[in-house]
Amino acid sequence: MESTQDKRVLVTGGNRGIGFAIAQGLLTKDYEVIITSRSLDNAEQAAEKLQGKVIPIELDVTDDCSINQAVKTLHQKIDRLDVLINNAGVYLDKDVNILTIDRELLDSTMNANTFGAIRMVQAFLPLLEKSPNARVVNVSSGYGALSGLSADVPSYCLSKLALNGATIMLAQALHSKGIIINSICPGWVRTDMGGSSATREPEQGADTAIWLATDAPRSINGKFLRDRQVISF
């Protein structure tokens, strides 16, 4: 039986915040962690702080050329990928609402938060298919639940709502390949995005993602979770 020491996880936006906490947690479980950032310098600095089996990679989830280059680079270093955690995202809704937001802002947020995750699954599918127990975790938000939509957070809400929808569709498409995928709400976490008033530490926000990546029953698939519990889309 395969040991966890052989397992590899890729965390997008793993250089800070929840992504960094996820990477830390998986290192303690003897995973080799690939962390990505739009800046290679930032990824390398984070890798030094993490002090473990870490591969830093430059990757911008909004840019297909960047994604493809990352796949090419990793093919030279790894033979498979066991876990993909789509954590990278943006929160750009400042001083806008659903009546005033422009198309450009909607495009930018959807491209990063929704389309980026879909493209990551597509691009890394050949490596995920080589794992006997592949898992994907999409970091979503309570703002992406139908009951959590807010007119004052238009692009972020819509992007996470669509990410949850993509999780359902990807679960259907990946089922025959034996790959499971879920999305999580980490809660309101003290990060650059969440702000200093947030009620949770990054480690608390990371917990469900780490659990889904490692020990969660494989019967949980195509679901939305908070605090290790399935919640409503």
Side-chain angles (χ1 to χ4, degrees):
M1 189 173 171
E2 181 191 36
S3 73
T4 55
Q5 290 179 335
D6 300 317
K7 294 200 170 181
R8 295 187 186 91
V9 56
L10 186 153
V11 185
T12 62
N15 60 300
R16 62 182 181 175
I18 295 170
F20 187 84
I22 291 170
Q24 273 186 316
L26 289 168
L27 279 170
T28 65
K29 292 179 176 287
D30 293 322
Y31 276 64
E32 181 175 31
V33 179
I34 301 152
I35 56 169
T36 81
S37 172
R38 285 175 292 182
S39 155
L40 182 58
D41 281 348
N42 288 344
E44 288 174 340
Q45 286 172 26
E48 284 179 26
K49 287 183 201 167
L50 286 165
Q51 296 181 329
K53 293 171 71 176
V54 183
I55 301 174
I57 291 285
E58 181 179 324
L59 192 158
D60 180 350
V61 299
T62 68
D63 182 342
D64 280 356
C65 289
S66 177
I67 292 173
N68 294 337
Q69 182 58 51
V71 172
K72 189 175 176 181
T73 300
L74 285 171
H75 263 296
Q76 298 162 9
K77 299 174 184 283
I78 63 174
D79 58 355
R80 73 175 188 282
L81 185 65
D82 299 289
V83 183
L84 169 63
I85 298 180
N86 288 310
N87 166 74
V90 297
Y91 185 102
L92 305 175
D93 294 323
K94 189 177 180 185
D95 302 324
V96 294
N97 61 43
I98 195 66
L99 297 178
T100 60
I101 190 169
D102 61 34
R103 185 184 293 269
E104 186 178 6
L105 187 54
L106 284 164
D107 279 346
S108 295
T109 304
M110 294 292 288
N111 199 16
N113 294 359
T114 312
F115 306 151
I118 295 169
R119 284 293 299 124
M120 284 294 294
V121 172
Q122 292 173 347
F124 283 89
L125 186 56
L127 283 168
L128 287 165
E129 285 181 304
K130 291 180 181 175
S131 169
N133 184 23
R135 299 167 181 246
V136 181
V137 181
N138 292 330
V139 178
S140 184
S141 168
Y143 273 135
L146 285 169
S147 61
L149 299 178
S150 167
D152 294 322
V153 192
S155 72
Y156 189 77
C157 282
L158 288 171
S159 71
K160 295 301 189 179
L161 177 67
L163 179 62
N164 285 346
T167 301
I168 294 169
M169 290 187 281
L170 286 166
Q172 294 170 0
L174 295 171
H175 179 72
S176 63
K177 301 177 183 295
I179 300 172
I180 64 172
I181 180 168
N182 293 285
S183 64
I184 68 151
C185 165
W188 189 19
V189 179
R190 279 189 287 279
T191 62
D192 290 348
M193 185 183 291
S196 58
S197 301
T199 54
R200 291 185 158 201
E201 295 291 343
E203 291 73 22
Q204 292 171 283
D207 175 74
T208 300
I210 294 167
W211 179 68
L212 284 172
T214 56
D215 302 322
R218 287 179 61 83
S219 56
I220 300 173
N221 189 27
K223 304 298 185 188
F224 187 29
L225 294 94
R226 179 190 293 128
D227 296 330
R228 303 193 183 190
Q229 299 294 316
V230 175
I231 59 175
S232 297
F233 282 108

